[in-house]
């Protein structure tokens, strides 16, 4: 039986997210709020993408008659001529990820970063042969899963290379083995979220890893970026679920991790491969810990008098509740995000807002929970959690808000495409910090974004939520809305830079689940130290001695500084 | 109030474990069983350690008048002359760890491996200065916490150096900060288990990390070896509890980890520092996630018709039980270990054995559980677990066996000293594997040990237990008893080698919590791959360019093979 999480969606269109036929347009009330709230002259859909024929890309360096002919022939030998594409459409589809600057460039007709060729190997040997061909001919290699990076993780980097090749793992999408006794499953890394869940569901299992990008992203992409999913509070992050990975590196194949729980055999090199963002090699398969499909989902929502009160309630739920009672999904919106949710929801939620005012909550912060498990367990967990949440000032508002969220859990990215078309800047960024630093971090980052939007003359609307709860802290996720400026790439760079500076100054992490890519690379040294960078470089030199793997991502170039990427995006604008 | 886990014990004597005044001698029944079961002519205490004055060690190369005078002066400048010792006793106490071969050598009067000097720095600056002095004068550095390594992790390595220095972190034993809101605490790394727990208990917290070595081991030692404790099934392993570490390396200070939960900022370099066994630098402080002291411990024990049935019951408890119901402590003994427990326990346990026979359990396998938490939660968890354990064939035998185990939880290592004195070989080794491979791994390793003991003409008695339960598998811990052979170091090498081969052949990990040290180094390449070794070497070259840090440990020398250590121990026997 097909479910919400096993239903496959076509790969994303070149100018935006997924299959636009699945997008649900904004209602008139939301549009009216955007117009007035953001102080924009109109929200007419006047800013759509250019026509496909207007998209510009450089001629491929890999042609049969040009200087790259030998390299092209080598790639064709590596994985079959029919699996090496230099076609315009394939190149445009692999020009980069899905960050707002990526979309702005693509929608504006700029696919200049597109790779010279896209290769579709099948199997470790073919991947190995592709890497060998690229090393020999000095072609930069960008591993590509679902292409959902929002931090510049999959854009080709041409400087210093004879050409750029994107290695699409789409053909490597098989379930290789499943051990129902140990509850582990080994997949090829190119499998997308829905196909992975469908393969497991046939055996009664789930990975439980459901990022918003689930319908597009691949297992290899999850692991290369240490991704977290919406239910990771319950199921664990991708880096907690992985048991081993197979990596094809220019220096040879490498199995990181031994499929044995709890080893003490030296440093955990699995966690050097996981999170390596394609700069050390290509993750071609992985063994994951799996769980039985939950028999039941119990939903609940509580409203808190403030975001800080809600954060404290989440902390108490984690610290004072019985460990087994923690919901798989824990989400808490701040007052602005809650306002937006209530506003969008129509008359039922207006009534809810009125009710909350009578309970003294002028600026309520809404928390949503989903408990997954047996009907008996989930209901008991919800009942016992209720005591903690109410003692922390929560007003129960029934299961519907959590059900509504769950129903639309993968639809967020579609909304951005419409917003951009209507002339509205929309981008997300995220961090995580300890409980003690949550409120200050929230305030400082929010203030920085507000300031950066205002610096461009705009009126900001920033929606914030917590979506991942840990023993020692939680995540913070910020969505910024504002009128698009004349130079939207500069606008984006200014906002991103201000927010990133605030995150680092607050002692939080530069990224909780979006990873480093090229956009966060200038901050990595502050995050892991100068010696940390040297350590990464030495590992890269060992596994990728020629330096062809995803250059520019993760590890900043020796001369990089915090303005490096800003400069680049301005140049290409 | 002092408790079992906050009570401090004097540092170990030079020839054995802890304070021998705390040892409980073996009873007559146990001695009789050992004599008959192991087929030894007698168990008289005729094999005690030599007198301290008979212990041989090489003259220190670091004297005021010899060629090492400048180096000695540099060490004294680094941390104060009174904190640099070249005294005989300090050197003997730091000659190595507490493996059976370590003890055999020491008890036989061999402390030839003793370092030339022991330094006791206080603070990161002094550690840094010591490392600089050692790098300048080409002295090998062995970081030393509690000195409890059972895998050759702390024995100095002289070859290729002008001298050897052991860096004892004993003076660095402070609680630096505690964040009760985020539930984290930062300690200096030289703090021992009981002092750490006493410092936390004052604030109502515990680390919950209680290896059998708890009374001697230090936090830095835990983290350098990715140790697990007896209650790690509930509280998590040391590598799961750590949030960040400060490392002093020859290349400079390095903070690994950012004290933010759930970061996706590239590979997790914290897990390169954790488990690095002193070869990259010295862990001088660490931030750990802490938990409130449990209000109540609920105990329970069940007997199973076989070890395999017990393993399956543990798996079901983990897979089918409510996650919050999993006991903090899960232990399952095989038939031989259960027999030994019942035999040692006197008439009450004899009655229990009789009762189990009436229930059809001729060779029972005893499982012990401790649930920690509120009185209400633990009792409910025990009640609900009972259903699963009974449906898996478990016969409840009341709380007393688990209480008795808990009472003696730190006394195991004392027993070995008496066994050696009575001419009985006793050593432990351990692994972990997936649920699906548990039974086969158990059988193969046990058979290998049996065979290796018999090859020397002995009669083996091998006690096995599971002590750590994971989602995808569990640990296996083997204790071997046999009559001591004429050449006990050769005997040990033969048994260890056979067991290690069986572990690797079964696809299990070479170590679940004892770490690599020098004893497991020959197997590391098989565990992490040739590229894994190259990666470790490149990281070491970056952080320890002169190569002074704990040489010989963890990373095998380029020419090393599986017989390297065997050879060494035979040479020094």
């Amino acid at each position: 039986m097909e479910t919400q999480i096993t239903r496959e969606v076509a790969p994303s269109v070149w100018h935006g997210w997924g299959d636009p036929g699945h997008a649900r347009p904004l209602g008139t009330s939301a549009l009216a709020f955007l117009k007035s709230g953001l102080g924009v002259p109109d929200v007419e859909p006047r800013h759509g993408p250019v026509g496909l024929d207007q998209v510009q890309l450089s001629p491929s360096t890999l042609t049969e008659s040009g200087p790259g002919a030998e390299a092209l022939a080598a790639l064709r030998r590596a994985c079959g001529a029919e699996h090496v594409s230099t076609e315009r459409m394939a190149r445009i589809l692999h020009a980069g990820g899905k960050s707002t600057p990526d979309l702005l460039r693509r929608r504006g007709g700029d696919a200049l970063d597109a790779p010279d060729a896209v290769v579709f190997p099948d199997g470790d040997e073919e991947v190995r042969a592709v890497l060998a061909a690229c090393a020999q001919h000095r072609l930069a290699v960008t591993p590509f899963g679902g292409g959902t990076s929002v931090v510049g993780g999959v854009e080709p980097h041409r400087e210093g290379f004879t050409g750029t090749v994107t290695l699409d793992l789409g053909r490597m999408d098989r379930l290789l083995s499943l051990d129902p006794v140990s509850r582990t499953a080994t997949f090829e890394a190119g499998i997308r979220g829905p196909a992975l869940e469908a393969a497991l569901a046939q055996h009664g299992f789930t990975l439980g890893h459901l990022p918003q990008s689930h319908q597009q992203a691949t297992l290899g992409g999850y692991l290369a970026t240490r991704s977290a999913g919406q239910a990771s509070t319950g199921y664990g992050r991708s880096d907690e679920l992985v048991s081993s990975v197979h990596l094809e590196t220019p220096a040879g194949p490498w199995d990181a991790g031994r499929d044995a729980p709890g080893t003490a055999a030296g440093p955990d090199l699995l966690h050097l491969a996981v999170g390596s963002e394609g700069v050390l090699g290509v993750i071609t398969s992985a063994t994951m810990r799996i769980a039985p499909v939950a028999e039941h989902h119990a939903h609940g929502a509580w409203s808190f008098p403030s975001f800080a009160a809600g954060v404290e309630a989440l902390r108490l739920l984690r610290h004072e509740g019985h460990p087994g009672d923690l919901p798989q999904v824990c989400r808490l919106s701040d007052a602005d995000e809650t306002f937006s949710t209530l506003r969008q929801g129509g008359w039922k939620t207006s009534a809810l807002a009125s009710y909350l005012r009578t309970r003294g909550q002028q600026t309520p912060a809404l928390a949503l929970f989903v408990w997954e498990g047996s009907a008996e367990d989930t209901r008991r967990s919800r009942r016992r959690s209720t005591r903690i949440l109410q003692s922390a000032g929560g007003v129960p508002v029934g299961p519907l808000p959590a059900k509504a969220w769950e129903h639309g859990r993968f639809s967020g990215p579609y909304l951005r495409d419409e917003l951009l078309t209507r002339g509205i800047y929309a981008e997300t960024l995220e961090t995580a910090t300890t409980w003690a630093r949550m409120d200050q971090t929230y305030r400082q980052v929010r203030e920085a974004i507000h300031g950066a939007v205002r610096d461009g003359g705009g009126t900001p609307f920033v929606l914030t939520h917590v979506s991942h709860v840990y023993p020692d802290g939680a995540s913070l996720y910020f969505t910024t809305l504002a009128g698009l400026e004349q130079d939207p790439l500069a606008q984006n760079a200014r906002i991103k830079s201000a927010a990133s500076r605030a995150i680092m100054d607050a002692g939080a992490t530069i990224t909780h689940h979006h990873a480093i890519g090229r956009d966060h690379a200038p901050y990595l040294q502050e995050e892991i130290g100068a010696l940390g960078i040297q350590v990464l470089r030495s590992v890269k030199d060992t596994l990728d001695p020629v330096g062809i793997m995803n250059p520019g991502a993760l590890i900043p170039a020796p001369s990089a500084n915090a303005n490096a990427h800003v400069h680049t995006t301005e140049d290409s604008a």
Side-chain angles (χ1 to χ4, degrees), chain A:
Chain A
M1 193 194 71
E2 196 180 68
T3 67
Q4 182 191 29
I5 67 164
T6 63
R7 190 175 306 127
E8 297 198 44
V9 173
S12 288
V13 291
W14 66 271
H15 54 76
W17 188 259
D19 173 357
H22 289 208
R24 288 193 312 169
L26 285 162
T28 43
S29 158
L31 291 173
F33 164 70
L34 286 169
K35 183 165 180 295
S36 66
L38 302 180
V40 290
D42 71 80
V43 289
E44 295 307 308
R46 298 183 292 108
H47 308 263
V50 300
L52 180 56
D53 55 337
Q54 293 171 56
V55 176
Q56 296 195 310
L57 65 175
S58 327
S60 173
T61 64
L62 296 168
T63 60
E64 283 174 30
S65 53
E70 267 188 47
L72 178 62
L75 290 173
R76 287 175 172 175
R77 278 194 302 276
C79 59
E82 68 276 33
H83 301 302
V84 178
S85 176
T86 54
E87 296 297 318
R88 180 177 162 81
M89 194 62 209
R91 292 179 62 208
I92 293 175
L93 280 170
H94 293 83
K98 297 294 181 189
S99 69
T100 293
D102 287 336
L103 296 191
L104 288 168
R105 280 192 286 263
R106 223 74 69 241
R107 294 163 60 96
D110 173 359
L112 295 169
D113 282 342
D116 295 312
V118 185
V119 300
F120 301 87
D122 188 8
D124 291 346
E125 287 73 17
E126 291 191 8
V127 172
R128 209 172 303 156
V130 167
L131 298 187
C134 291
Q136 196 193 338
H137 295 279
R138 222 185 146 66
L139 301 167
V141 180
T142 305
F144 194 98
T148 65
S149 174
V150 291
V151 293
V154 294
E155 62 191 58
H157 176 97
R158 187 171 298 278
E159 214 180 295
F161 295 90
T162 63
T164 61
V165 171
T166 289
L167 195 158
D168 187 313
L169 274 85
R171 292 172 67 212
M172 296 175 65
D173 62 352
R174 302 172 189 90
L175 168 63
L176 297 176
S177 66
L178 187 142
D179 173 353
V181 175
S182 310
R183 293 190 174 173
T184 61
T186 304
F187 293 94
E188 288 183 315
I191 193 166
R192 284 168 194 264
L196 180 151
E197 288 291 347
L200 289 178
Q202 289 196 356
H203 303 272
F205 289 104
T206 178
L207 182 61
H209 186 73
L210 301 170
Q212 201 175 45
S213 59
H214 165 73
Q215 294 174 334
Q216 297 294 331
T218 63
L219 178 60
Y222 293 159
L223 293 171
T225 59
R226 294 158 56 86
S227 71
Q230 292 164 344
S232 290
T233 294
Y235 290 93
R237 301 163 56 94
S238 65
D239 49 323
E240 292 171 324
L241 294 171
V242 65
S243 168
S244 66
V245 301
H246 181 84
L247 208 70
E248 287 293 334
T249 80
W254 183 35
D255 289 299
R258 197 175 164 80
D259 291 340
T263 168
D268 192 346
L269 300 184
L270 172 61
H271 290 284
L272 210 48
V274 169
S276 61
E277 301 194 18
V279 308
L280 304 179
V282 188
I283 296 173
T284 59
S285 64
T287 300
M288 306 297 292
R289 287 183 274 272
I290 55 179
V293 171
E295 172 192 306
H296 186 73
H297 286 205
H299 303 82
W302 278 261
S303 179
F304 292 88
S306 68
F307 186 57
V311 167
E312 177 64 3
L314 292 185
R315 184 182 78 80
L316 291 173
L317 200 60
R318 182 65 185 76
H319 284 174
E320 309 293 342
H322 194 247
D325 288 344
L326 193 69
Q328 271 63 33
V329 175
C330 291
R331 296 177 77 86
L332 168 73
S333 294
D334 77 343
D336 280 352
E337 189 167 288
T338 300
F339 172 82
S340 164
T341 301
L342 295 183
R343 176 108 202 171
Q344 277 180 62
W347 70 268
K348 275 185 199 158
T349 48
S350 300
L352 177 55
S354 305
Y355 165 68
L356 292 172
R357 273 195 297 277
T358 69
R359 297 290 302 263
Q361 296 190 356
Q362 302 302 322
T363 54
L366 189 64
L368 311 177
F369 302 100
V370 185
W371 288 265
E372 302 184 17
S374 74
E376 184 198 338
D377 281 347
T378 53
R379 284 177 189 138
R380 190 188 38 245
S381 291
R382 181 172 60 186
R383 192 175 64 239
R384 301 204 306 187
S385 301
T386 298
R387 289 206 294 267
I388 293 172
L389 295 167
Q390 290 192 228
S391 74
V395 172
V397 298
L400 289 181
K403 284 187 177 171
W405 167 81
E406 196 177 54
H407 181 72
R409 65 194 303 173
F410 305 128
S411 61
Y414 286 108
L415 209 52
R416 184 177 48 169
D417 289 336
E418 181 177 358
L419 288 167
L420 291 173
T421 293
R422 292 182 181 277
I424 293 165
Y425 171 85
E427 182 59 307
T428 64
L429 54 90
E430 33 80 74
T431 183
T433 192
T434 58
W435 292 116
R437 293 196 289 239
M438 282 289 284
D439 195 52
Q440 199 188 345
T441 305
Y442 164 66
R443 287 172 191 280
Q444 285 176 212
V445 176
R446 189 177 140 86
E447 202 169 295
I449 298 173
H450 274 243
V453 171
R454 290 212 180 89
D455 285 350
T459 304
F461 191 67
V462 180
L463 306 83
T464 310
H465 65 250
V466 172
S467 53
H468 300 76
V469 168
Y470 298 92
D472 46 343
S475 65
L476 281 168
Y477 189 93
F478 301 87
T479 303
T480 303
L481 302 180
L484 269 178
E485 296 175 16
Q486 201 64 30
D487 181 347
L489 287 169
Q491 175 184 19
N492 178 72
R494 196 178 66 242
I495 295 169
K496 179 73 180 172
S497 174
S500 299
R501 188 67 260 144
I503 284 170
M504 297 313 283
D505 289 347
T509 177
I510 191 65
T511 176
H512 167 264
H513 63 268
H514 283 171
I516 294 292
R518 284 159 188 80
D519 298 357
H520 290 145
Y523 301 94
L524 190 63
Q525 177 160 328
E526 200 170 335
E527 176 101 15
I528 67 171
L531 275 183
I533 298 285
Q534 284 184 43
V535 163
L536 283 184
R537 285 215 182 97
S538 67
V539 173
K540 182 169 170 70
D541 288 347
T542 298
L543 296 177
D544 177 25
V546 182
I548 57 171
M549 296 308 304
N550 212 8
L554 184 59
I555 307 174
S559 62
N561 64 55
N563 296 318
H565 189 73
V566 176
H567 203 67
T568 307
T569 52
E570 281 170 355
D571 285 349
S572 62

